[in-house]
Amino acid sequence: MLWLDTMQASALAQAITGSRWATAVLSSLHLVGFTLLMGSMLVSNLRLVGLALADRPLEEVTRPASRAAWIALTISVATGVLLFVPRASGAAANPTFQLKMLLLFTAVGVQALAVPRVAQAWRQPASAYATGAAGLALWLGLALAGCAFILFE
Amino acid sequence: MLDLCHWLETTSVGTVVRESLYGFPILVGLHILGLIASVGVVLWFDLRLLGLALPAVPASHVYRRLMPWAAGGFALMAVTGGLLFVGYASTAYVNVFFRIKFGAMLLAGVNALVYHRVTERTRDRWDAAPQLPAGARAAGLVSLLVWTIVIVSGRMMAYTMY
């Protein structure tokens, strides 16, 4: 696609490709952000399915986890975009990358729309189990897709 | 030491790690999953120590409820990390980021030991307080910093070793 090629030919893309350390440093920060994101989402979704801190109210765990996750997501997305720019066409055509993006958007959607609603209950509603299980599957799937993308790009 | 590293690489385990088609990617993938489960969850205990998350939950309670998950992640990370090291021992040994990573992991261990052996002696007095004493907060901050260094230097190894 044309706009991907334009992006890939931009001065920003060339600066990242031309620098010896840019990609390595960006990848490192991408993983730091992602570890904080996954840690928050693990704690939050494990609480929703009742497997961690089950004696505490849902919101007491899901709220701070969500706040930390937004900060972590900002780090991951900012570094992710900079990593994407120099290889835009190749990455966009890569099925693993497409899967990674699909899982990311779905997981963020569930986190932003479903979790705050189901977490309002003090008792454990069935919807919390379902949301937590979906969240765990989506975030772990995202991690696996991320690993696969690093290794087989 | 380098001789030992070379010998490790010639063992059958080292050869399998290096030469099997999917051995390396599977080990790296599991290593990163272990990292997420261990460090990702430990960060939450660090945030509690710093007073930034779960202030109403006693620190020891957060620790007890989260550590089983982190421990599983640590075990996975240690096993896969050990196997990856056997396969690439001499290249890793001379790699500056491997050395930084190893040093930071040792610091993380010392930090945890100091917290459990020294800082926690007075735990009865502050366990449930939202804001913990300086020693406990320092343990949380040091843990956050050293694990960040471990992650960064680990990822840098991929760009400087192979």
Side-chain angles (χ1 to χ4, degrees), chain A:
Chain A
M1 261 178 283
L2 188 63
W3 65 276
L4 290 170
D5 293 331
T6 314
M7 193 189 261
Q8 204 166 331
S10 66
L12 176 65
Q14 287 181 358
I16 295 170
T17 318
S19 150
R20 193 173 159 211
W21 292 105
T23 306
V25 170
L26 285 170
S27 298
S28 302
L29 297 177
H30 194 58
L31 187 58
V32 170
F34 190 63
T35 306
L36 176 59
L37 177 62
M38 284 299 295
S40 307
M41 291 298 91
L42 279 178
V43 169
S44 175
N45 286 296
L46 285 173
R47 172 63 195 93
L48 287 174
V49 294
L51 286 174
L53 294 161
D55 52 351
R56 310 299 306 190
L58 290 167
E59 271 195 323
E60 189 181 5
V61 180
T62 58
R63 268 234 196 106
S66 179
R67 230 178 298 143
W70 286 117
I71 298 171
L73 188 66
T74 308
I75 303 173
S76 304
V77 170
T79 50
V81 167
L82 290 173
L83 285 164
F84 175 78
V85 168
R87 46 185 129 169
S89 324
N94 182 316
T96 314
F97 184 79
Q98 294 166 357
L99 177 67
K100 184 175 147 163
M101 288 303 109
L102 179 69
L103 287 166
L104 174 68
F105 291 125
T106 320
V108 170
V110 169
Q111 175 60 29
L113 302 174
V115 172
R117 266 168 225 168
V118 301
Q120 279 170 6
W122 155 248
R123 280 162 168 263
Q124 184 89 30
S127 57
Y129 286 108
T131 311
L136 284 173
L138 286 164
W139 289 108
L140 285 175
L142 176 67
L144 286 173
C147 290
F149 182 65
I150 296 177
L151 292 162
F152 299 113
E153 191 188 359

Side-chain angles (χ1 to χ4, degrees), chain B residues 147-160:
Chain B
W147 283 115
T148 304
I149 294 172
V150 171
I151 297 173
V152 168
S153 45
R155 193 74 187 85
M156 293 299 275
M157 280 169 68
Y159 289 93
T160 49

